Amino acid sequence: MNRNYIRINMTFKEKLYEIIFEAETKEGKLFDEVLLLLIILSVITLSLESIDTFHVKFKNIFLILEVFFTVIFTIEYLLRIYCIKKPLKYMTSFFGIIDLLSFLPSYLEIFFPGIHYIISIRVLRLLRIFRILKMYRFSTHAKILYLAIKMSRYKIAVFLFAVLNIVIVIGTIMYMIEGPDNGFDNIPKSIYWAIVTLTTVGYGDISPKTPLGQLIASLLMITGYGIIAVPTGIMTYEINKIQSKELTVEACPACGRDGHDKDAIYCKFCGEKLN
Amino acid sequence: MNRNYIRINMTFKEKLYEIIFEAETKEGKLFDEVLLLLIILSVITLSLESIDTFHVKFKNIFLILEVFFTVIFTIEYLLRIYCIKKPLKYMTSFFGIIDLLSFLPSYLEIFFPGIHYIISIRVLRLLRIFRILKMYRFSTHAKILYLAIKMSRYKIAVFLFAVLNIVIVIGTIMYMIEGPDNGFDNIPKSIYWAIVTLTTVGYGDISPKTPLGQLIASLLMITGYGIIAVPTGIMTYEINKIQSKELTVEACPACGRDGHDKDAIYCKFCGEKLN
Amino acid sequence: MNRNYIRINMTFKEKLYEIIFEAETKEGKLFDEVLLLLIILSVITLSLESIDTFHVKFKNIFLILEVFFTVIFTIEYLLRIYCIKKPLKYMTSFFGIIDLLSFLPSYLEIFFPGIHYIISIRVLRLLRIFRILKMYRFSTHAKILYLAIKMSRYKIAVFLFAVLNIVIVIGTIMYMIEGPDNGFDNIPKSIYWAIVTLTTVGYGDISPKTPLGQLIASLLMITGYGIIAVPTGIMTYEINKIQSKELTVEACPACGRDGHDKDAIYCKFCGEKLN
Amino acid sequence: MNRNYIRINMTFKEKLYEIIFEAETKEGKLFDEVLLLLIILSVITLSLESIDTFHVKFKNIFLILEVFFTVIFTIEYLLRIYCIKKPLKYMTSFFGIIDLLSFLPSYLEIFFPGIHYIISIRVLRLLRIFRILKMYRFSTHAKILYLAIKMSRYKIAVFLFAVLNIVIVIGTIMYMIEGPDNGFDNIPKSIYWAIVTLTTVGYGDISPKTPLGQLIASLLMITGYGIIAVPTGIMTYEINKIQSKELTVEACPACGRDGHDKDAIYCKFCGEKLN
C-alpha cells in the first residue's frame, strides 16, 4: 500500500507521463534537467549560426547539431502525445503549440530551403523553459511577482491607455509641426518617435529640428520622466501588500482564482474551502 | 409610478439626451459603443492616410471615409446641441470644443485645399474617448490614479520647478562651455539638450565634445538618474495611502471636492453629509 | 503698543529691511513679486539674445533691456547692503554672491568687450528665485522633499560611491577592449561613456563595436536599469516616513536641526523645547 | 592588565598586523588614510596617462609616478603576507588577488613592453577602496543597502531571468524582420539591440527601419518602461522592512548569516545567541 508499491503497478504509459510531465520522482527531475540543457544549447547554437563567419566556417557542425536537436524534440513531442490522456487538449494548449514550433520549422527548411530567416522562429523553444521552471525553486518568488502584476493589471491598463493616447496625439501634432522634411514621414512613424521619446529610450534616428518641435518634445520627455512614477507606485503597493502577508499566493483549489486574504477560509469567488 | 412609466412620458428631446449623454440605458450604451468604434476607426484612417504610398494608392477610399466620418460627427454634434438644456455652456466646455474640432478641420479643407497638414488636428477627436470611458469599467482604477496624481500635484510642481531651474542653469553653462561649434547654438537649444539629458532620453543629436562639457553632462546625467526617485516616492506614498482605504475616491455631492478620509461622515470642505 | 505703533517708530533703514528681506507686509510682498518678474524677464531676454538671428535683428533692444536689468539689480544690491545689519556676512553668503553675480558680468563686458560667452553667467540670477519662493505657498511641500533628500543623504552617497566605482572600473575595461579605434579614446572618455550608459541616457556618440564590448555594455545597461531601484526605494521610505507624520518638518528653534519625531517635546540634539 | 600593557607586549609582527589590517588604533587609521589617498592618486594618474596628449608631454612624470605606486603597493603586499597568520588564505582571497593585480601588471610591462592596453587592469586597485571603507562611517547605511539587495536577490533573479527571455525572443524575431540590411547582422547583435532598447538606453547605433520592426520595438520599449516598476517595488519593500526596524543589520556571530528579526534572541539558522 506504500507509494513504491503503487508505482510498480503503474503501466508504462503512466510511468512515462510521470517522468515527462511531472518532476516529483528522481527520473522526472533528471528528464527536466536534460531537457533544460538541450533547450539552452539549441538556442545558443541558433544564435551562433546566425553569425556570418561562423555559419560559413562550421556549416556542417551546425547542420548536425540542428538535426540532433530536431530529432530529440520530435521524439519528445510524440512521447508527450502518446502518454497524455487528452492529446488534443495538449496539442492546442499554449505549451503544446510552443513544443510543436520548437522543431517544425526545421522540417520546413528541408522542403523550402529558401526560408532561412523564418526558421529562426525556433527560438520560441526558449519559452519551454518556463514549463520546466514552473516546478522548481524560484517559484514562490515568481508567484509573488506574477500575483503583483496580476493584481495591478487594471491600473496598469488604465496607465497604458493614457500613455497610448498621449503618444497618438503628440505624434500627430509633431507630424504637423516637423513634417516629412525632418524625418516625421507620416503619423505612424511620428507615433513611433513619440513612444521612443516618452519611454526615454531616445534612439535619435528621428529627432525634432524646429524650435517648436523641440519645445513639445521637451514637454513629452518631462511627462515621460514623471509618469514612470505611476506604474512604480502601483507595483510597490501590490508587492508590499502581498509580501506583508495580507494576501496568500495560493490559488483556490476549486476555481483556480487567486488573491485571497491570508485569513480567508473560503474562496471569495466560489465559496470552496481553501487549504 | 415606476421607472418605465416615467420614461414613456419623456419627450423625444429627453430620450435623445439620455441616449447621447448618458450610458445607463441599453440604447445609451449602444450609442457609446458605436461612437467609440467610429472614433478609433477614424483615427486609424487618419494615420494610414498620412503614409505617402497609401495616400496615392487609395486616395478615393480615404476621401469617402473622411466624408463619412465628418458627416456622422457633424450630425452627432448638432444633436448634442439640440437636446442639451444649456447648449452654449456645452459648446464652450472642454469636450464641446473637442467635439467641434473633430469635424471642423475637414470642412476647412474644402475651402482652403492647401492646408493638408493642419487638418491632422482631427486627431484630437481621440480625446473624445475619455468622455465615453468615463462611464465604464476601469473608472474606479482610473479614479485612484487620478486622485493620486491630484493629491501629489503640489509636490510634483515643486519637483518640476527644481528640474526647470537645473536645466536652465546647466543649459546656459553648457552654452558657454561648448558653444555653437559643438551644436549648442543658443541658450534655448542648450536647455533642450539639458532636458534630453536629465530625463535620460539622450537622442545624441547634440552631445558634448569638450572634456569639461562631458564632465558637467556626467553630473547632470547622474542627477537625472537619481532624482527620478523623488516623484516615484511621492506617487508611491499617495497610491499607498488611497489604496489602504484611508481615503475614499468619492467626491462630496455638494461641493464636488475629493480626498476625504474613509471614515469621514461630513465633507471637510463644506460640511455636507457624504454618502 | 500695537504692531502698527511699533512700525511707525521704525527707522527708514528698518522699514527698507522689512520690505526687501521679509515678505510679511504688503510692501514686502509687492517687492518680491516685482523682483520675481524682473528675474524671469531678464533670463528670458538672456536666452533670446543668444539666438543669432534675434541678436542681429534686435541688438539695440537687447542692449537697452540689459542695461535696465543691470541698473535695477545694482540698486537692489546696494540697498540690501545699506539696510542689513551685518553687510559683510550678507556679501559673503551664498545668496549674497548670487546677487552680485547677477549684475557684475554686465559691467565686465563694458571693459572687456570680447568676453561675450562669459557674461551668460548672469543666468545664475535665476537662483535668486529660491530666496523669494522661500517665503511662499509651496514651502511646506518643498520642505518635505528637502527633508526626504536630507534624511537619505548618507544612503544616496553610498549608492553614488558604488556607481562611481562601477563606471571607473567598467570604463577602464572598455578602454582596453574597444580602444581608440572605436571611439574609446582614453580612460576619462570611457568613463564618460560608462556614465552615459549606466544612467540609461545613451547618446550613441560613443558605442561599443566589438562583440565582447557589446556584452559588457549589455551587463552595464542591465545593472543601470536594475539599481535605479535603490535610490527610489530609499526615497520612497523617507517620504513615507515624513508624510506619515512620524517626523515633523519644523526645525529646532535653538540649534536649527530638523528630523524630529512628531511627538517630540524637546530637541533630541540640544534639548531645547520645541514649538 | 590594561589595553596599553597588552600592546607593549605585542611582537613587531602583531603590531604590523594591527596597523595594516585593522583600523582601531591611531596608526591603523593613518595607514588606511594614506593608502586611500595613494589608490585614488594612482587611478587618477592611470586615467590621465591614457590621454594621448598628456602621455606624450609628461611621459617621464607618468613613468616615475607609476614606478613609485608600484613599489609602494609591492612593499605593502609583502608586508601583508609577512604579518598575517595564514598567508596562503589571504593570497587566494578576493582582496588578496585584487592587491596582487594592483601592481603585477606594471612588472609585466617591463618584460613585455607591447602590452600597453593590458596594464590598464591596474584600475582594479580601485576595488581596494572597499576594504578600507569597510571599517568607516558609512558602513551602517551601506549595510542596509547591501542587506536590502541580498534579501531581494531571488526576486531580482526571477525578474532578470524574465528580462533575459524577453530580449532573446524579441532579439531573434527582430533579426528575422529587419535582417542584416538594417543593421541586425546576427542574433547576438539583435539581442544586444533588444537590451539597449528594453533598458531604455537607446544608443541609436542600431534602430528598426521597417514599420513592423518599429511596431515591435515600440512594444518592447513600453514593456521596458513599465517593468522597471518591478525591481523598484521589490527594493522599496525590502528597504522599508529593514528600516522599519523589523530586521537588524547585525549578522550572527556564529554562522555569519544575517536577516534576523529585531526582537530575535537566537540565530534562526544556527541557534547561536545573538548580541
Side-chain angles (χ1 to χ4, degrees), chain A residues 86-140:
Chain A
K86 297 179 180 174
L88 255 177
K89 207 185 156 188
Y90 160 71
M91 286 164 75
T92 55
S93 72
F94 176 72
F95 278 120
I97 291 163
I98 292 294
D99 288 352
L100 186 68
L101 286 177
S102 72
F103 63 86
L104 200 67
S106 304
Y107 291 108
L108 290 179
E109 208 193 4
I110 301 169
F111 304 108
F112 311 96
I115 55 161
H116 189 63
Y117 278 174
I118 310 305
I119 64 151
S120 295
I121 204 81
R122 288 170 300 172
V123 79
L124 291 178
R125 57 175 71 143
L126 194 69
L127 298 178
R128 303 181 65 200
I129 285 181
F130 286 100
R131 176 166 49 197
I132 300 170
L133 289 182
K134 235 168 137 176
M135 310 159 187
Y136 283 97
R137 266 183 294 183
F138 294 111
S139 58
T140 312

Side-chain angles (χ1 to χ4, degrees), chain B residues 154-155 161 165 168 172 176 180 186-188 193 197 200-204 207-208 218 221-222 225 228 232-233 236-237, chain C residues 47 50 117-118 120 123 126 129 133 138 141 160 192 196 199-203 205 224 227-228 231-232 236 240 243:
Chain B
Y154 290 118
K155 281 189 205 70
F161 180 77
N165 274 281
I168 292 174
T172 309
M176 289 189 278
N186 49 55
I187 292 178
W193 166 86
T197 300
T200 79
V201 171
Y203 286 134
S207 66
S218 298
M221 285 172 216
I222 289 174
Y225 183 66
I228 183 77
T232 305
T236 301
Y237 170 74
Chain C
S47 296
S50 75
Y117 277 174
I118 309 305
S120 295
V123 78
L126 194 69
I129 284 180
L133 289 182
F138 293 112
H141 296 284
L160 288 182
Y192 163 71
V196 169
T199 57
T200 79
V201 171
Y203 286 133
D205 51 348
I227 61 174
I228 182 77
T232 304
T236 301
N240 197 45
Q243 291 267 56

Side-chain angles (χ1 to χ4, degrees), chain B residues 23-275:
Chain B
E24 276 155 29
T25 59
K26 213 177 139 184
E27 296 90 350
K29 271 184 190 165
L30 186 69
F31 178 85
D32 280 356
E33 278 158 22
V34 170
L35 190 59
L36 192 62
L37 195 74
L38 285 174
I39 292 169
I40 292 168
L41 284 178
S42 75
V43 169
I44 292 172
T45 306
L46 184 68
S47 295
L48 295 179
E49 198 186 348
S50 75
I51 302 172
D52 263 3
T53 49
F54 286 17
H55 183 65
V56 173
K57 264 193 195 162
F58 312 108
K59 206 175 173 178
N60 288 331
I61 295 169
F62 283 124
L63 188 67
I64 291 162
L65 280 171
E66 193 48 43
V67 167
F68 170 71
F69 290 127
T70 304
V71 169
I72 293 279
F73 291 148
T74 310
I75 292 169
E76 185 220 337
Y77 184 71
L78 294 176
L79 285 178
R80 280 183 190 268
I81 291 176
Y82 166 70
C83 73
I84 206 164
K85 275 179 198 158
K86 299 179 179 173
L88 255 178
K89 206 185 159 190
Y90 160 70
M91 287 165 75
T92 57
S93 73
F94 176 72
F95 278 120
I97 292 163
I98 293 295
D99 288 352
L100 185 67
L101 286 177
S102 72
F103 63 86
L104 200 66
S106 304
Y107 291 107
L108 290 180
E109 208 192 5
I110 300 170
F111 305 108
F112 311 97
I115 55 162
H116 189 64
Y117 277 174
I118 309 305
I119 63 152
S120 296
I121 205 81
R122 288 170 299 171
V123 78
L124 291 178
R125 56 175 71 143
L126 194 68
L127 298 178
R128 303 180 66 201
I129 284 180
F130 286 99
R131 176 166 48 197
I132 300 170
L133 289 182
K134 237 169 133 174
M135 311 159 186
Y136 282 97
R137 265 184 295 184
F138 293 112
S139 60
T140 312
H141 296 284
K143 256 184 196 166
I144 290 171
L145 297 187
Y146 170 76
L147 195 56
I149 291 168
K150 199 176 163 187
M151 282 299 182
S152 51
R153 68 188 182 282
Y154 290 118
K155 281 189 205 70
I156 298 286
V158 167
F159 172 73
L160 288 181
F161 180 77
V163 162
L164 199 68
N165 274 281
I166 292 171
V167 295
I168 292 174
V169 170
I170 299 286
T172 309
I173 289 171
M174 286 300 278
Y175 166 69
M176 289 189 278
I177 293 172
E178 295 278 334
D181 294 341
N182 295 324
F184 293 75
D185 294 345
N186 49 55
I187 292 178
K189 204 168 180 184
S190 294
I191 293 170
Y192 163 72
W193 166 86
I195 293 171
V196 169
T197 300
L198 186 89
T199 57
T200 79
V201 171
Y203 286 134
D205 51 349
I206 315 166
S207 66
K209 299 285 178 290
T210 65
L212 184 57
Q214 292 179 340
L215 180 66
I216 290 171
S218 298
L219 295 177
L220 185 63
M221 285 172 216
I222 289 174
T223 304
Y225 183 66
I227 61 173
I228 183 77
V230 174
T232 305
I234 297 166
M235 200 58 82
T236 301
Y237 170 74
E238 295 295 346
I239 288 175
N240 197 46
K241 197 174 157 192
I242 297 163
Q243 291 266 56
S244 304
K245 307 270 166 33
E246 292 176 37
L247 289 177
T248 165
V249 295
E250 297 309 324
C252 167
C255 71
R257 293 174 70 176
D258 43 29
H260 300 291
D261 289 345
K262 199 76 185 178
D263 57 355
I265 299 167
Y266 295 95
C267 172
K268 63 179 170 180
F269 300 114
C270 70
E272 180 72 21
K273 197 157 191 174
L274 297 171
N275 297 329

Side-chain angles (χ1 to χ4, degrees), chain C residues 1-121:
Chain C
M1 278 297 195
N2 62 16
R3 197 178 155 77
N4 234 34
Y5 174 80
I6 294 169
R7 283 190 55 206
I8 288 161
N9 283 350
M10 286 166 87
T11 64
F12 173 71
K13 211 169 156 178
E14 279 168 357
K15 267 186 198 161
L16 204 65
Y17 179 85
E18 205 179 58
I19 292 168
I20 297 181
F21 280 94
E22 286 175 22
E24 277 155 28
T25 58
K26 210 177 143 187
E27 295 89 351
K29 272 186 188 164
L30 185 70
F31 178 85
D32 281 355
E33 279 159 21
V34 170
L35 191 57
L36 192 62
L37 194 75
L38 286 174
I39 292 168
I40 292 169
L41 284 177
S42 75
V43 170
I44 291 172
T45 306
L46 184 68
S47 296
L48 295 179
E49 199 186 348
S50 75
I51 302 172
D52 263 4
T53 48
F54 285 18
H55 183 64
V56 172
K57 264 193 194 161
F58 312 107
K59 205 175 174 179
N60 288 331
I61 294 169
F62 283 125
L63 188 67
I64 292 162
L65 280 171
E66 193 48 43
V67 167
F68 170 72
F69 291 126
T70 304
V71 168
I72 293 279
F73 291 147
T74 309
I75 293 169
E76 184 220 339
Y77 184 72
L78 295 176
L79 285 179
R80 279 183 191 269
I81 292 176
Y82 166 72
C83 72
I84 207 164
K85 274 177 196 162
K86 298 178 179 176
L88 256 177
K89 207 185 157 189
Y90 160 70
M91 287 165 75
T92 56
S93 72
F94 176 71
F95 278 120
I97 291 163
I98 292 295
D99 288 352
L100 187 65
L101 286 177
S102 71
F103 64 85
L104 200 65
S106 305
Y107 291 107
L108 290 179
E109 209 193 4
I110 301 169
F111 304 107
F112 311 97
I115 55 164
H116 189 64
Y117 277 174
I118 309 305
I119 63 151
S120 295
I121 205 81

